[in-house]
Amino acid sequence: MKNIYFVFYALGALFLAYFSGLYVGTERAKRISAELSVDNQMQIFKIQENVNAETFNRGTDDIRNSLRKKYSIAD
């Protein structure tokens, strides 16, 4: 009888270890995904900051001349 209880406790411990490992793995994957998302968003903000600074520092004459060179009335 003691052997049967031991087998049941061992199986219970194995199931508990399996499901807790599954939970920990899922949470780790969620954390890594969130960190990657934040890193990507920060890179996008840096790119937007550089583009906005460049756009803000340009004058209207520069934009007008570049458009005049690219497009003509025939286009």
Side-chain angles (χ1 to χ4, degrees), residues 4-49:
I4 293 174
Y5 288 135
F6 178 74
V7 170
F8 284 137
Y9 285 132
L11 287 176
L14 285 175
F15 283 127
L16 181 65
Y18 174 77
F19 286 115
S20 64
L22 186 68
Y23 176 75
V24 168
T26 302
E27 291 301 316
R28 182 178 294 159
K30 286 180 185 178
R31 179 181 50 86
I32 290 172
S33 176
E35 288 174 357
L36 288 175
S37 177
V38 168
D39 290 342
N40 288 339
Q41 193 67 32
M42 290 301 294
Q43 288 177 353
I44 289 171
F45 285 152
K46 287 179 183 177
I47 291 170
Q48 284 179 345
E49 181 179 312

